[in-house]
Amino acid sequence: MPGLPVVVIGAGPVGLAAAAHLVERGIEPLVLESAPVAARSVREWSHVRLFSPWSEIVDPAAEKLLAPTGWARPDDTAYPTGGDWAERYLQPLADALGDRVRYRTTVTGVARAGRDRVVDADRDRQPFTLNVTAPDGTEARVTAGAVIDATGTWATPGPLGGNGLPALGERAAADRISYRVPDLADPAVRARYAGRRTAVVGSGASAFTALAGLAGLAGAEPGTHAVWILRRGLSAATYGGGEADQLPARGALGLAARAAVAAGHASAVTGFRTEAVVPDGEGRLVLVAEDGRRTEPVDEVIALTGLRPDLSFLSELRVALDERLQAPAALAPLIDPNVHSCGSVRPHGAKELSHPEKGVYLVGTKSYGRAPTFLAMTGYEQARSVAAALAGDTAAAGRVELTLPETGVCGGAGLFDAAEPARAGGGCCAAPVAVGAPAADSAVPDGH
């Protein structure tokens, strides 16, 4: 709609990339960010090193926007931490966007002007209105021609419960449960886990990172031990692609977890779906599985069981979401973790991200819903395609401009299926289609 900005919700990596692509297209963006700085979520895992180098986590349109500011591109071959990514790229990008980024502004609702989700009449002709809470706490309303939701999933981690609900007793034990990869360089955090038994629940890169960190701590602090809780069985495929992974640093995470188990610093408990967390009477916690099995008492729990989107402020929009993943309906079959665990995700862009509500797009990790395989460059490609679609360039919107490195492991995560061995011969994905990734999932996603 002429004269109205495209509102981008969230100043994380993909939200800022979307704004840069809009600027490149001559479309005015307005980025609304609830935090006082850009990349708040990335900063919360600032201690975690990404498993992609700088060459794969800088968006091309963003770099063009940064060039006139004198920004110096980091060494393409270096692997930054989340803190490096935020300070050396994401915040400078937000600064280059200037007044187009509005901080301390929280979006509490999005709708069509004068239309709730029920009303059809002239719906597509109405602009969008966003209810926001301003920095001074007052409520305000912002009008937009289109809306790009790049709020990510970091703020809503999955619970311990194997059924997707909090385990019984999980809330009561909240002071002993963390949902983040611990920063063991922090003395207070280190003291929390040193010399203690810690249950690590999860099987992704975040769990690998936590296990490797605790194994390192065990070398300096006797008595430190990790109890690795897996919902599936243990096999070669459990540890990822290893040397077959086309992102070597990503493969190394799984190898580090394997080494932690082999060295005796971690013990694996398999086929365990947590139903309850109970105190043992001596100040420790016991996890109880759905089948009645109980772990040995542990002092701490680190739950790294995935993330999920917050859809509450989109309730008045007509968004079509998959009933399983809570991802856009057209995208969900391409990223379903029951089927995909490597670079077998086909190219996708504005078409797959569209909804019945025209002019609304979920991008970045938010677009993947509960699927765990999102990569940063996938989000950059989404941003490019969506900006092209909003500019009316259907040819560019439909074009695919990225390639995805394989993990070297195939087969979906499944639900109750038995663990399967990794296939021989290295990589397995028929047609690589995306490139680059933050350690988003090794600490979690894109500030996503």
Side-chain angles (χ1 to χ4, degrees):
M1 295 183 179
L4 293 177
V6 172
V7 167
V8 179
I9 311 174
V14 180
L16 292 173
H21 281 278
L22 290 169
V23 170
E24 188 174 51
R25 287 280 181 175
I27 300 172
E28 192 64 18
L30 174 60
V31 183
L32 303 181
E33 169 57 51
S34 60
V37 293
R40 173 178 57 184
S41 294
V42 174
R43 294 172 191 274
E44 292 188 12
W45 48 271
S46 62
H47 58 290
V48 177
R49 191 164 298 281
L50 280 67
F51 53 61
S52 288
W54 278 108
S55 62
E56 297 175 344
I57 58 171
V58 174
D59 177 79
E63 186 170 13
K64 292 178 184 177
L65 196 62
L66 281 164
T69 70
W71 178 73
R73 183 185 177 99
D75 178 2
D76 277 352
T77 64
Y79 291 82
T81 62
D84 295 333
W85 198 23
E87 291 297 333
R88 300 181 63 188
Y89 167 63
L90 296 171
Q91 190 61 57
L93 176 55
D95 294 342
L97 287 163
D99 292 340
R100 297 183 178 103
V101 181
R102 191 178 298 176
Y103 297 109
R104 294 188 175 92
T105 303
T106 303
V107 175
T108 58
V110 186
R112 288 281 187 180
R115 306 289 188 275
D116 63 21
R117 68 183 296 159
V118 176
V119 179
D120 290 335
D122 291 328
R123 186 175 190 87
D124 290 346
R125 297 183 182 183
Q126 307 305 313
F128 293 94
T129 58
L130 294 88
N131 282 7
V132 303
T133 302
D136 62 0
T138 61
E139 293 183 317
R141 188 160 284 165
V142 174
T143 304
V147 177
I148 299 175
D149 180 356
T151 54
T153 55
W154 172 260
T156 47
L160 276 174
N163 61 0
L165 299 175
L168 300 178
E170 181 172 348
R171 292 191 178 96
D175 62 332
R176 310 287 289 283
I177 301 174
S178 170
Y179 300 87
R180 311 300 189 198
V181 174
D183 180 3
L184 297 175
D186 182 319
V189 176
R190 186 181 181 89
R192 177 174 178 175
Y193 299 101
R196 298 187 175 189
R197 292 178 63 86
T198 300
V200 177
V201 186
S203 59
S206 295
F208 294 163
T209 303
L211 289 168
L214 291 171
L217 181 60
E221 298 286 350
T224 303
H225 188 80
V227 180
W228 188 13
I229 307 297
L230 293 142
R231 293 174 179 172
R232 299 186 71 191
L234 191 65
S235 72
T238 301
Y239 299 101
E243 295 178 356
D245 197 317
Q246 292 182 3
L247 287 174
R250 180 173 59 187
L253 291 174
L255 296 178
R258 184 199 297 266
V261 174
H265 297 313
S267 53
V269 179
T270 61
F272 194 100
R273 296 176 182 274
T274 306
E275 182 174 75
V277 182
V278 297
D280 73 343
E282 297 181 5
R284 306 177 88 188
L285 299 175
V286 173
L287 305 188
V288 182
E290 293 173 349
D291 61 9
R293 284 184 295 154
R294 301 164 70 92
T295 66
E296 293 294 320
V298 297
D299 301 289
E300 299 285 341
V301 179
I302 301 174
L304 300 169
T305 51
L307 303 160
R308 54 187 60 178
D310 175 9
L311 303 167
S312 60
F313 58 89
L314 303 178
S315 62
E316 293 307 316
L317 296 178
R318 297 176 177 180
V319 290
L321 299 175
D322 179 74
E323 67 275 8
R324 293 164 300 170
L325 300 184
Q326 295 177 300
L331 175 61
L334 309 183
I335 60 174
D336 185 352
N338 292 289
V339 180
H340 301 282
S341 69
C342 58
S344 56
V345 176
R346 298 200 306 273
H348 69 275
K351 179 181 177 182
E352 291 79 10
L353 298 172
S354 297
H355 295 277
E357 196 78 74
K358 295 180 180 179
V360 172
Y361 297 93
L362 277 60
V363 300
T365 55
K366 184 72 169 278
S367 72
Y368 267 45
R370 298 191 183 200
T373 54
F374 181 82
L375 303 177
M377 288 298 282
T378 299
Y380 295 163
E381 173 67 359
Q382 292 176 343
R384 183 202 62 78
S385 178
V386 167
L390 290 172
D393 188 345
T394 55
R399 191 165 58 241
V400 176
E401 299 182 0
L402 84 167
T403 304
L404 179 68
E406 298 179 10
T407 64
V409 176
C410 275
L415 294 177
F416 293 96
D417 51 330
E420 297 177 359
R423 297 185 188 179
C428 57
C429 303
V433 293
V435 108
D441 199 29
S442 60
V444 184
D446 133 308
H448 291 22

